């Protein structure tokens, strides 16, 4: 038996900074430790402020899922106020949020994830010349087309939300700008242009054809567009056998509209779907550089351990749902929502392939939703109701960011914030071990990854880690 | 011109904003100007060991460095150690890396308000003891001392904004690459004047409401947001309303106030972000370059003279009363 330890970092093409420590025995990872090395302290920062300041401050936790943070803050304040947004305001908020999620998936696939297939290590593979042409970091034709299409799609956020990231347009009562008939038609034309891009480059076919894929085989044999190129690579590298998560999926449900959440909420395990009970969430601090007790986020505190004492190895707390580590993200969301292809993939487990397929599926589905929502904008409607916050109270805001379940929990006393806790998707996925020694989802997924003799920064590890689309700035916040 | 980009304690939003550059896209634009990334944490292929080697080569001057871009504030906590952000894989704090690499760079650019002045990361009680690269809020002297000058002789260039506008970054880099950005082109807080000599108020579509002090009473109404909703566009530097964001957007165009995100200490306005603090019913933060008495006199005069169209539209979420057209000759 030959063993060695590897330290992987700076781990780039993830949002923020990440360090992974690996124990490798006989060319296989036997244990992995995920360290979120940055602490900023957004939760203590909020204490004593007026509650509405959360709408300005929390989006700045993250520059890639800023609208998700803003939607969660607005939802938490709305919950505390006991108010509902104007229905058309909720629709525009969903549109803004859906665009961000779509852009994030696109950025992840083209800029963060696929670049690894253009590496010289794969030079002998039949697909490598094509990967080189499309996916080379900053140079690939797919990369340049994607940033261009994304920038144009974000014009919708410019129009309705002023700018991206860090908009203040989403409020508990709705949105701050009432779109006109002219805005609506502009939005639709921007979406049409984006559809043209998706169909020409990413899917190489009508979007509906991808959405309607009903099984794992249909997905993994898709052959057109960059999605097809990825499936060819995935088959060759056997990405369906790499990086299994805990097989327990969490989604709060995405895009709350008056008729319900567009992608349904739930917890899925072994083919069983059950409701999400957020009362069962606890944040374990045993391996985080955090002081205090394990708590539900309504009671939680954030007190960093300045001595960074062992056995902790990350600033990230370890959220657990009824004691269990859960995986969250686009694939989890599609499984929970019951998309047939996602369910079929889930039967085999959440592999690297499944996570990327979930994201591609969601890109296609979200485009269709955005088109529907934009068409449904009624310019005569009210887009913002007034909503007034109580002097004392609490609120929970649950949304789905591109990377999965995001929750904000606020306590208000004497008109001021007395408690603010955030659990981001990557807090779930990249949590460290808990007091029972149960690893976080990515730590579990890395066990068994193959490491070549001369590899310092193993490729298999990179594929697995990036398949989760981690957002490290959100993780600890 | 090569650029090494580091992401320190920020949200990554300035990079995400940079990717919104258009006509042409950010990669074509920079490449066309002869600018290339030595390494960028969100965009480059190299990861892990390859990056550590590159950083060592820059530190030992083996690889010459033209521009060091730092995004995000520098955390100095706990207790001045910088251990709240250890650059992963290196066992060294980002504070330490920035201090060392800055010595090697021809130019140092702080991208965004966090890197420039500390920004949102230093809000509240500043839990991570965040500062800017060369400023700590308004105070000159941050992770680098006030008298630091990069090899070009310039101080750290503060491309402030939260996030910063993609064009502010690309144009700063392109001006540097063409040798046409000197100390005289920076304002007193080291921001490039090409955008910092404008005010957000310039070209705000609410200007006519401002003229009459016809004010919005709550977010989503069309009136000027200075009197009630915390807008400081008359003092905030930035060509946001001239240039536009993500196509034709801006904060005030979307119906929410300018919070002065290009300025030091914007994160602690000492009042709710979307409420104007008042003293005896009069907004406290008046335009900086106008005598207060004049402002008050003009304001009461213009308020009294507000046309019905403007008064009614100000408190509506869309145009209720259109401008009157002159009757044509019959
Ligand atoms: S809303 Fe702000 S930027 Fe616009 S006119 Fe009023 S004060 Fe000026
Ligand atoms: S309008 Fe004000 S708050 Fe908005 S981006 Fe410009 S300077 Fe920042």
């Amino acid at each position: 038996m030959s063993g060695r330890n590897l330290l992987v970092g700076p781990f780039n093409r993830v949002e923020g900074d990440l360090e992974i420590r690996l124990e490798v025995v006989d060319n296989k990872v036997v244990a992995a430790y995920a360290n979120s090395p940055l602490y900023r302290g957004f939760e203590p920062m909020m204490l004593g402020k007026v509650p509405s300041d959360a709408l300005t401050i929390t989006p700045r936790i993250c520059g890639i899922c800023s609208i998700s943070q803003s939607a969660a803050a607005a939802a938490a304040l709305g919950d505390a106020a006991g108010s509902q947004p104007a229905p058309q305001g909720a629709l525009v908020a969903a549109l803004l949020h859906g665009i961000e999620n779509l852009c994030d998936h696109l950025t992840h696939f083209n800029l963060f994830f696929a670049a690894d297939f253009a590496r010289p290590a794969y030079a002998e593979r039949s697909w490598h010349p094509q990967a080189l042409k499309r996916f080379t970091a900053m140079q690939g034709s797919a990369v340049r087309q994607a940033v261009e299409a994304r920038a144009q799609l974000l014009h919708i956020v410019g129009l309705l939300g002023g700018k991206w990231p860090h908009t203040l347009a989403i409020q508990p009562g709705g949105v701050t700008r009432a779109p006109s008939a002219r805005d609506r038609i502009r939005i639709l034309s921007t979406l049409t242009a984006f559809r043209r891009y998706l169909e020409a480059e990413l899917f190489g076919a009508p979007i509906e054809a991808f959405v309607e894929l009903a099984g794992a085989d249909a997905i993994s044999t898709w052959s057109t567009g960059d999605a097809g190129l990825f499936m060819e690579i995935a088959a060759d590298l056997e990405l369906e056998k790499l990086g299994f998560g805990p097989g327990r999926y969490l989604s709060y449900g995405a895009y709350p509209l008056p008729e319900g959440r567009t992608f349904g909420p739930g917890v899925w395990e072994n083919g069983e779907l059950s409701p999400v009970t957020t009362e069962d969430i606890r944040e374990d601090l045993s391996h985080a550089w955090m002081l205090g007790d394990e708590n539900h986020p309504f009671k939680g505190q954030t007190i960093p351990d300045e001595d960074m004492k062992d056995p902790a190895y990350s600033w990230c707390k370890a959220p657990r749902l009824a004691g269990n580590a859960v995986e969250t993200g686009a694939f989890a969301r599609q499984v929970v929502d019951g998309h047939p292809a996602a369910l079929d993939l889930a039967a085999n487990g959440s592999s690297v392939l499944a996570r990327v397929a979930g994201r591609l599926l969601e890109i296609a589905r979200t485009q269709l939703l955005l088109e529907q929502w934009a068409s449904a904008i009624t310019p005569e409607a009210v887009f913002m109701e007034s909503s007034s916050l109580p002097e004392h109270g609490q609120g929970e805001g649950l949304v789905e960011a591109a990377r999965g379940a995001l929750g904000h929990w606020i306590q208000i006393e004497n008109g001021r914030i007395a408690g603010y806790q955030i659990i981001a998707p990557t807090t779930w996925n990249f949590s460290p071990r808990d007091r029972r020694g149960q690893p976080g989802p990515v730590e579990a997924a890395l066990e068994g990854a193959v490491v070549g003799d001369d590899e310092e920064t193993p490729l298999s590890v990179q594929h697995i880690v990036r398949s989760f689309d981690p957002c490290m700035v959100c993780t600890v916040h | 011109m090569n650029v090494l980009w580091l992401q320190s304690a920020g949200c990554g939003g300035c990079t995400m904003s940079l990717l919104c550059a258009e006509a042409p896209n950010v990669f074509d634009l920079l490449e066309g100007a002869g600018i290339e990334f030595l390494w960028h944490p969100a965009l480059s292929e190299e990861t892990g060991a390859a990056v550590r080697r590159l950083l060592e080569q820059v530190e030992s001057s083996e690889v010459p460095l033209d521009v060091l871009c730092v995004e995000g504030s520098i955390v100095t906590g706990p207790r001045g150690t910088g251990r709240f952000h250890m650059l992963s894989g290196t066992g060294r704090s980002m504070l330490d890396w920035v201090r060392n690499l800055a010595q090697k760079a021809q130019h140092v650019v702080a991208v965004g308000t966090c890197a420039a002045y500390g920004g949102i990361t230093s809000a509240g009680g500043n839990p991570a003891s965040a500062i800017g690269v060369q400023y700590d809020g308004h105070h000159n002297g941050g992770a680098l001392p006030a008298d630091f000058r990069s090899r070009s002789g310039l101080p750290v260039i503060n491309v402030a904004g939260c996030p910063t506008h993609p064009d502010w970054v690309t144009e700063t880099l392109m001006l540097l690459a063409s040798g046409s950005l000197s100390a005289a082109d920076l304002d007193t807080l080291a921001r490039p004047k090409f955008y910092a000599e404008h005010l957000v108020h310039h070209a705000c579509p609410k200007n006519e409401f401002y003229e009459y002090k016809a004010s919005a009473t709550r977010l989503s109404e069309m009136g000027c947001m200075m009197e009630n909703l915390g807008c400081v566009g008359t003092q905030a530097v930035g060509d946001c309303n001239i240039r536009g964001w993500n196509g034709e957007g801006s904060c005030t165009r979307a119906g929410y106030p300018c919070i002065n995100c290009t300025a030091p200490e914007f994160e602690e306005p000492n009042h709710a972000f979307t409420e104007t603090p008042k003293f005896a019913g009069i907004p406290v933060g008046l335009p900086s370059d106008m005598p207060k008495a004049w402002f008050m006199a003009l304001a009461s005069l213009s308020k009294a003279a507000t046309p019905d169209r403007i008064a009614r539209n100000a408190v509506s979420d869309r145009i209720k009363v259109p401008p009157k057209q002159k009757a044509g000759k019959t």
Side-chain angles (χ1 to χ4, degrees):
Chain A
M1 257 195 6
S2 69
R4 61 178 175 141
N5 288 333
L6 286 176
L7 193 63
V8 186
F11 208 123
N12 75 328
R13 279 180 285 112
V14 300
E15 183 65 26
D17 204 4
L18 165 69
E19 182 175 271
I20 302 264
R21 185 157 58 83
L22 301 167
E23 289 169 16
V24 181
V25 174
D26 291 339
N27 294 86
K28 277 214 166 120
V29 173
V30 293
Y33 302 85
N35 171 11
S36 306
L38 169 63
Y39 169 78
R40 288 174 296 162
F42 271 80
E43 294 158 329
M45 199 184 280
M46 305 295 295
L47 304 178
K49 296 194 174 294
V50 293
S52 68
D53 280 356
L55 298 166
T56 297
I57 295 175
T58 61
R60 289 173 164 82
I61 288 172
C62 178
I64 198 163
C65 38
S66 163
I67 293 183
S68 297
Q69 296 287 356
S70 141
L77 295 180
D79 187 39
S83 67
Q84 294 293 325
Q88 282 275 316
L91 183 80
V92 170
L95 188 68
L96 289 167
H97 194 181
I99 287 168
E100 177 176 274
N101 284 348
L102 181 47
C103 287
D104 282 8
H105 288 341
L106 196 73
T107 307
H108 178 264
F109 181 82
N110 288 285
L111 274 66
F112 294 171
F113 182 72
D116 288 320
F117 302 124
R119 288 179 179 279
Y122 290 131
E124 302 305 316
R125 306 282 173 157
S126 60
W127 41 262
H128 191 254
Q130 191 59 12
L132 210 53
K133 183 167 149 242
R134 295 295 285 163
F135 300 143
T136 299
M138 295 188 270
Q139 296 294 331
S141 48
V143 175
R144 295 204 176 188
Q145 286 163 345
V147 297
E148 206 156 300
R150 169 186 172 281
Q152 284 167 20
L153 182 62
L154 284 166
H155 284 196
I156 300 175
V157 180
L159 187 68
L160 296 171
K163 66 174 188 200
W164 185 88
H166 304 345
T167 175
L168 236 175
I170 300 177
Q171 298 282 323
V175 292
T176 55
R177 188 174 185 281
S180 63
R182 171 265 169 187
D183 296 342
R184 178 176 168 277
I185 220 71
R186 265 280 157 205
I187 292 164
L188 283 165
S189 65
T190 302
L191 287 171
T192 305
F194 193 74
R195 174 188 270 263
R196 195 175 306 121
Y197 154 76
L198 287 180
E199 296 188 339
E201 308 300 338
L202 188 61
F203 295 111
I207 282 169
E208 285 78 1
F210 199 81
V211 171
E212 284 156 17
L213 295 176
D217 286 346
I219 289 253
S220 51
T221 55
W222 183 265
S223 63
T224 52
D226 292 322
L229 175 57
F230 167 72
M231 292 305 168
E232 183 190 342
I233 296 170
D236 186 39
L237 299 179
E238 300 191 315
L239 298 184
E240 81 283 5
K241 294 184 185 154
L242 192 67
F244 292 112
R248 208 175 291 113
Y249 306 108
L250 166 69
S251 168
Y252 293 144
Y255 312 121
L257 292 172
E259 60 273 22
R261 296 197 174 224
T262 311
F263 293 146
V267 179
W268 190 97
E269 186 176 8
N270 294 325
E272 297 284 327
L273 187 67
S274 48
V276 187
T277 35
T278 54
E279 295 77 26
D280 292 343
I281 297 174
R282 296 288 178 278
E283 288 202 282
D284 178 297
L285 308 182
S286 62
H287 293 76
W289 291 308
M290 289 287 163
L291 304 174
D293 300 325
E294 168 179 312
N295 263 316
H296 181 271
F298 267 140
K299 296 224 179 75
Q301 284 180 302
T302 301
I303 308 165
D305 172 19
E306 301 197 338
D307 297 325
M308 299 168 77
K309 281 192 290 289
D310 291 340
Y313 57 89
S314 175
W315 294 109
C316 183
K317 299 177 184 175
R320 295 292 184 259
L321 184 66
N324 293 316
V326 297
E327 177 171 342
T328 188
F331 180 62
R333 195 155 51 227
Q334 292 307 313
V335 171
V336 167
D337 190 54
H339 189 283
L343 286 174
D344 200 19
L345 284 163
N348 172 52
S350 58
S351 58
V352 170
L353 169 82
R355 287 184 201 103
V356 177
R359 229 166 262 126
L360 291 169
L361 203 52
E362 205 164 81
I363 289 177
R365 291 190 74 188
T366 307
Q367 169 72 21
L368 299 184
L369 289 171
L370 293 173
E371 291 171 5
Q372 275 172 34
W373 292 337
S375 305
I377 291 175
T378 313
E380 314 74 69
V382 170
F383 290 86
M384 188 148 118
E385 296 289 0
S386 38
S387 156
S388 58
L389 285 161
E391 282 290 292
H392 299 272
Q394 62 179 36
E396 173 182 73
L398 306 176
V399 302
E400 282 287 311
R403 302 162 182 77
L406 167 66
H408 283 201
W409 286 265
I410 187 173
Q411 296 278 340
I412 304 170
E413 278 167 28
N414 301 313
R416 298 277 162 169
I417 297 175
Y420 208 104
Q421 291 284 306
I422 299 155
I423 303 181
T426 312
T427 323
W428 289 102
N429 287 337
F430 281 59
S431 61
R433 281 158 172 70
D434 58 29
R435 62 188 153 73
R436 291 190 291 141
Q438 177 184 210
V442 81
E443 295 180 330
L446 285 167
E447 286 174 17
V450 174
V451 179
D453 280 332
D454 48 359
E455 280 193 306
E456 289 174 286
T457 310
L459 273 174
S460 62
V461 168
Q462 296 195 52
H463 295 324
I464 294 169
V465 165
R466 292 201 181 94
S467 76
F468 280 88
D469 189 9
C471 176
M472 305 311 298
V473 295
C474 278
T475 307
V476 177
H477 34 266
Chain B
M1 188 174 85
N2 71 23
V3 176
L4 172 65
W5 189 293
L6 296 178
Q7 282 182 330
S8 186
C11 72
C14 288
T15 286
M16 285 298 122
S17 179
L18 178 67
L19 294 176
C20 296
E22 282 182 272
N25 69 64
V26 63
F27 298 123
D28 288 354
L29 182 66
L30 295 179
E31 189 176 296
I35 298 165
E36 55 169 16
F37 286 110
L38 208 50
W39 187 70
H40 186 297
L43 307 172
S44 296
E45 181 180 287
E46 298 82 4
T47 207
V51 185
R52 296 199 294 265
R53 270 194 296 278
L54 175 71
L55 294 176
E56 282 158 20
Q57 285 170 329
V58 172
E59 201 173 30
S60 65
S61 304
E62 200 178 315
V63 170
L65 178 61
D66 297 323
V67 182
L68 175 68
C69 282
V70 181
E71 176 182 358
S73 50
I74 311 294
V75 291
T76 62
R79 298 182 292 256
T81 61
R83 282 161 60 89
F84 279 143
H85 186 197
M86 304 293 279
L87 177 60
S88 65
T90 70
R92 284 166 63 184
S93 67
M94 190 56 103
L95 173 69
D96 185 48
W97 276 112
V98 167
R99 280 182 175 154
N100 281 291
L101 294 173
Q103 313 301 327
K104 304 292 170 183
Q106 184 71 13
H107 306 288
V108 181
V109 178
V111 181
T113 303
C114 286
Y117 310 120
I120 203 80
T121 313
S122 52
N126 195 356
S129 304
I131 55 176
V133 179
Q134 201 176 7
Y135 278 81
D136 177 1
H138 277 101
H139 171 80
N140 196 352
L144 298 171
D147 60 3
F148 168 83
R149 294 293 176 271
S150 64
R151 287 196 291 115
S152 66
L154 292 177
V156 174
I157 299 162
N158 289 328
V159 189
C162 184
T164 192
H165 194 292
D167 301 351
W168 299 345
V169 179
T170 56
E171 288 168 14
T172 299
L173 291 176
M174 291 190 294
L175 285 167
L176 287 174
S178 69
S180 32
L181 194 85
S182 68
D185 298 313
L186 303 177
D187 78 354
T188 51
L189 289 161
R191 296 172 293 206
K193 284 182 183 169
F194 71 80
Y195 77 89
E197 277 186 343
H198 300 281
L199 293 173
V200 168
H201 184 62
H202 300 161
C204 173
K206 297 169 187 291
N207 279 171
E208 195 189 36
F209 295 106
Y210 176 88
E211 286 165 30
Y212 292 98
K213 300 290 158 297
S215 300
T217 57
R218 63 180 195 115
L219 293 174
S220 83
E221 291 174 354
M222 290 180 71
C224 172
M225 296 178 284
M226 176 192 159
E227 189 178 350
N228 301 314
L229 300 175
C231 187
V232 286
T234 56
Q235 300 148 65
V237 310
D239 53 11
C240 302
N241 275 310
I242 299 171
R243 188 191 286 270
W245 285 76
N246 304 97
E248 55 188 278
S250 83
C251 296
T252 62
R253 280 164 197 247
Y256 56 89
C258 169
I259 59 169
N260 203 5
C261 77
T262 50
E265 298 168 26
F266 88 95
E267 67 280 357
E268 281 302 322
N270 297 317
H271 58 81
F273 281 105
T274 49
E275 275 169 43
T276 305
K278 292 180 188 168
F279 185 71
I282 300 162
V284 174
L286 297 178
S288 41
D289 43 9
M290 196 178 197
K292 196 171 166 190
W294 284 33
F295 182 88
M296 298 311 300
L298 281 172
S300 64
L301 198 65
S302 59
K303 264 205 178 193
T306 308
D308 177 60
R309 168 177 65 86
I310 293 167
R312 282 173 56 197
N313 288 340
V315 290
S316 164
D317 64 351
R318 66 204 70 198
I319 294 169
K320 281 277 161 64
V321 189
K324 263 208 199 85
Q325 303 298 317
K326 248 199 190 138
K329 286 191 186 120
T330 47

